[in-house]
Amino acid sequence: MAQNPRGDNSGPQAEPLLKVGGLKKHFALTKGTSLFGGQRKVVRAVDGVDFEVMKGETLGVVGESGCGKSTTARLLMQLIEPSAGEVVFDGRVVGSRELPLKEFRRQVQMVFQDSYASLNPRLTIEDSIAFGPRVHGVSAREATARARDLLARVGLQPDRFAERYPHELSGGQRQRVNIARALALQPRMVILDEAVSALDKSVEAQVLNLLLDLKSDFGLTYVFISHDLNVVRFISDRVMVMYLGKVAEVGPSEALFDQPAHPYTSALLSSMPSMDPDHRTEEVPLSGDPPNPIDPPSGCRFHPRCSHAAAVCSTIEPPRVLRAQQSVACLIHQRGSGHPQALPA
């Protein structure tokens, strides 16, 4: 897959469109307290996440299954209520009086992985796209015109597809409809949660190129969640790596892929398949399963699986520090942390 010739706005002049601070989501396993009166156990799906999304950029989000990527996306959209933390969109707190959820969701839309489950089987394609604008006060005539225009923009001829139902379309066509529906409210940001992972490679490439064209045409900002590292590298300006509910590393796409700073990022990138026979993976880059999010390890959450772990890693939770262009949560890069590979204070 060719590299993305990004004509983006994510340089030094860009400003944060979205700020996330201390975001947490803990799912209780049982109601009330435990049998012996102790605190009830919780699944720490997202456990203190901080990051920014700059205007006009594509932020890729990667990590193993269960690391909290999709939960973070649903927290951003307020589809589930956070246990703690704050989401600030363009300087206003989401869900507050200054930015009610209805106004926020008009400006931020989401595309899900399952293209069929995302569409109402009883509505035509045209009605599905026009539904959102009508809910937000757009006249029926204008909403229908907008739906037909967006169908054309995503490569589906309105005369052929407007009156069809979801079951009459292929997976790639349905995902194009979902993208058109997300754009119907003229949002500023789109969150794409595994939006191309269910598509075959030829259709995936078409949808990715479509997303790049739409981003340029509409001045969009993307949060792109995927397990496919090659796709993330192709489409993203910056990449955020998550592990067990926390952010391990954030940095520019090319810098992070070429020189990963966190040991987990290195292991994750080592799992990428290569067609080059001189770059075969002869050793398993990462062994074992992620720890239990109900009872995560103390200190650095990655230390039980990390080949660079030292005794201090099990006692001190690493803060995120700047290392070149990347922000990384690893004691190796923190001066005076006590790790044998860290520089002295």
Side-chain angles (χ1 to χ4, degrees), residues 80-95:
I80 53 178
E81 186 177 352
S83 303
E86 185 177 72
V87 179
V88 179
F89 183 77
D90 204 14
R92 297 183 291 170
V93 178
V94 175

Side-chain angles (χ1 to χ4, degrees), residues 22-257:
L23 194 62
K24 294 184 180 183
K25 183 58 184 179
H26 296 170
F27 294 99
L29 291 180
T30 56
K31 295 183 178 180
T33 59
S34 68
L35 180 64
F36 300 102
Q39 292 185 344
R40 58 182 180 179
K41 291 188 175 182
V42 296
V43 177
R44 301 173 183 272
V46 175
D47 201 22
V49 169
D50 304 275
F51 64 93
E52 296 178 345
V53 184
M54 313 306 277
K55 292 180 180 178
E57 79 167 347
T58 298
L59 176 70
V61 183
V62 300
E64 291 173 285
S65 295
C67 71
K69 303 186 301 294
S70 294
T71 303
T72 298
R74 284 159 174 76
L75 289 171
L76 295 182
M77 287 297 299
Q78 303 285 306
L79 298 178
I80 53 178
E81 186 177 352
S83 303
E86 185 177 72
V87 179
V88 179
F89 183 77
D90 204 14
R92 297 183 291 170
V93 178
V94 175
S96 66
R97 184 174 299 178
E98 59 183 3
L99 185 59
L101 281 181
K102 184 174 182 179
E103 182 182 346
F104 171 71
R105 287 173 178 159
R106 189 193 64 75
Q107 300 186 66
V108 181
Q109 287 286 292
M110 188 166 175
V111 178
F112 296 89
Q113 177 179 357
D114 192 333
S115 62
Y116 187 76
S118 300
L119 296 170
N120 188 330
R122 295 180 176 84
L123 292 181
T124 64
I125 299 307
E126 179 182 87
D127 289 340
S128 289
I129 299 172
F131 183 81
R134 293 193 64 179
V135 168
H136 284 263
V138 177
S139 68
R141 178 178 295 181
E142 183 180 346
T144 300
R146 191 181 296 182
R148 286 182 166 265
D149 176 65
L150 285 169
L151 276 175
R153 296 295 291 269
V154 299
L156 300 176
Q157 298 177 19
D159 292 342
R160 289 183 55 199
F161 291 95
E163 298 303 322
R164 293 189 185 184
Y165 288 86
H167 71 273
E168 300 178 277
L169 275 60
S170 68
Q173 290 170 338
R174 284 196 296 266
Q175 202 61 303
R176 287 172 181 262
V177 171
N178 283 314
I179 293 169
R181 188 180 61 170
L183 298 179
L185 288 172
Q186 300 172 340
R188 300 171 64 189
M189 174 184 287
V190 179
I191 300 171
L192 302 123
D193 185 11
E194 301 281 8
V196 299
S197 63
L199 308 177
D200 64 59
K201 287 302 176 183
S202 61
V203 177
E204 178 186 88
Q206 294 172 11
V207 173
L208 288 173
N209 287 325
L210 169 65
L211 289 172
L212 290 174
D213 291 340
L214 293 172
K215 178 187 174 185
S216 176
D217 294 344
F218 291 95
L220 298 171
T221 300
Y222 289 153
V223 175
F224 188 89
I225 299 169
S226 178
H227 66 275
D228 191 325
L229 297 174
N230 284 308
V231 168
V232 170
R233 184 171 191 173
F234 170 75
I235 200 170
S236 301
D237 302 306
R238 288 192 306 131
V239 177
M240 180 171 76
V241 182
M242 293 188 67
Y243 182 79
L244 205 64
K246 288 187 174 291
V247 176
E249 183 174 357
V250 183
S253 179
E254 293 306 313
L256 186 141
F257 275 85

Side-chain angles (χ1 to χ4, degrees), residues 255-334:
L256 186 141
F257 275 85
D258 291 340
Q259 293 184 319
H262 198 286
Y264 174 65
T265 307
S266 299
L268 201 63
L269 299 183
S270 298
S271 68
M272 294 174 66
S274 173
M275 298 295 289
D276 187 345
D278 295 329
H279 290 83
R280 293 176 177 173
T281 302
E282 298 181 356
E283 296 182 5
V284 178
L286 191 61
S287 60
D289 296 322
N292 191 337
I294 299 173
D295 188 20
S298 60
C300 174
R301 295 194 172 183
F302 185 58
H303 85 264
R305 306 170 73 191
C306 181
S307 59
H308 300 279
V312 69
C313 297
S314 64
T315 58
I316 298 177
E317 182 176 337
R320 274 174 43 205
V321 296
L322 288 176
R323 183 260 192 191
Q325 301 179 72
Q326 287 112 290
S327 169
V328 55
C330 179
L331 294 178
I332 292 175
H333 302 289
Q334 183 184 2

